[in-house]
Amino acid sequence: CCGMLDTLANFIIGCGPRLRMRLDVGLDGASQKQAVALSQDINNAFAEWSEADRLPEKLRTQRIARGRDGESFAHLFTNPSMSHPVQLALHLYEADQIYIEDQQDTGQHTDGIDLDALGVPNTYHVATGHPGDSGGAGKIAKVPAVEIIHDFVPRRPGQRRGYPEIAPALNLFAYLRRYTLATVNAAENAASIAGMLENERDSSEDEEIVPFDTFEAERGTFMTLPSNTK
């Protein structure tokens, strides 16, 4: 499952988005040359900003999170430490960090998201830490919705949080795990038996044999079978 999510993210995101400015459309002569040069400068600037913010890496992480958790959250903020004139940056949050502790869903709030009168998200409650960490969730900050990119696919009207894409297949992965373990166990048991010795003694001298009884077999050893058995 992890490999499938990685393959999906690598296929969709790849090396990240690239900008293609075409300011030369409809221009002639010197104006077209200037537009082509300006377009290339803008394309290069976007590529440099994308590399400075590690945008492809973050987008791949977002796509994996959407498949596993059903949604992903990115916070748009200004990062003064970026080595680029454009200091717009993305900070990713795990889905569990968007919540309000001990508060039930109402018409104006649903699972860490405040809604306006029309049901449109206007504020996200973001925890500084993960609720499952040893230090707890930490402080919860209110972030305006215009600064949050909430990536999920709503599958019903009014849905505000994502539903894991892999959820319908979880039972199949459990069956696959059981089948794999059973196959490995069968191969190990078959490979562990180095040989068998048939016993031709009179069965009356031995204890009564219980049909289909089991006995432990050590790895890499010869074994003697019960009397009059093959």
Side-chain angles (χ1 to χ4, degrees):
C1 178
C2 181
M4 293 168 66
L5 292 177
D6 288 341
T7 301
L8 180 63
N10 291 332
F11 178 78
I12 293 179
I13 305 301
C15 59
R18 289 173 292 179
L19 193 63
R20 290 191 61 186
M21 295 294 294
R22 291 295 304 274
L23 302 178
D24 59 322
V25 177
L27 301 178
D28 297 322
S31 299
Q32 188 178 29
K33 293 181 179 180
Q34 293 177 354
V36 170
L38 179 59
S39 298
Q40 189 60 43
D41 290 341
I42 296 175
N43 293 338
N44 294 338
F46 179 84
E48 293 171 357
W49 169 81
S50 176
E51 182 179 359
D53 190 43
R54 305 198 321 272
L55 182 63
E57 175 186 341
K58 294 179 180 179
L59 293 180
R60 282 192 293 268
T61 301
Q62 277 197 283
R63 188 59 189 87
I64 293 174
R66 200 180 91 176
R68 182 188 63 243
D69 306 327
E71 58 187 349
S72 64
F73 296 87
H75 183 194
L76 298 171
F77 73 107
T78 300
N79 183 6
S81 62
M82 282 186 60
S83 59
H84 193 273
V86 178
Q87 296 180 336
L88 175 67
L90 273 71
H91 182 75
L92 304 185
Y93 292 109
E94 197 163 0
D96 291 342
Q97 292 180 253
I98 310 298
Y99 85 112
I100 294 181
E101 191 174 7
D102 298 332
Q103 183 168 344
Q104 297 180 349
D105 291 352
T106 64
Q108 299 301 316
H109 170 81
T110 175
D111 202 6
I113 305 175
D114 290 339
L115 310 174
D116 61 16
L118 299 178
V120 178
N122 57 21
T123 305
Y124 286 81
H125 296 253
V126 182
T128 57
H130 192 280
D133 291 342
S134 58
K139 298 181 179 180
I140 297 181
K142 293 184 178 182
V143 181
V146 294
E147 300 179 9
I148 295 291
I149 298 177
H150 186 190
D151 181 26
F152 78 105
V153 178
R155 303 184 183 280
R156 57 180 176 79
Q159 181 179 344
R160 303 301 178 187
R161 298 295 298 262
Y163 182 79
E165 296 174 345
I166 63 173
L170 289 180
N171 289 337
L172 297 180
F173 287 118
Y175 292 142
L176 178 61
R177 180 172 60 250
R178 290 173 52 189
Y179 175 79
T180 302
L181 293 176
T183 302
V184 172
N185 287 336
E188 286 185 342
N189 292 335
S192 296
I193 300 176
M196 291 281 189
L197 297 178
E198 297 182 10
N199 192 343
E200 298 181 353
R201 291 184 302 169
D202 186 1
S203 60
S204 62
E205 300 176 1
D206 301 321
E207 297 180 0
E208 182 180 358
I209 299 176
V210 180
F212 302 106
D213 193 13
T214 60
F215 58 94
E216 186 175 356
E218 288 191 43
R219 183 186 303 272
T221 60
F222 280 82
M223 294 180 295
T224 59
L225 298 180
S227 58
N228 293 330
T229 58
K230 295 184 179 181

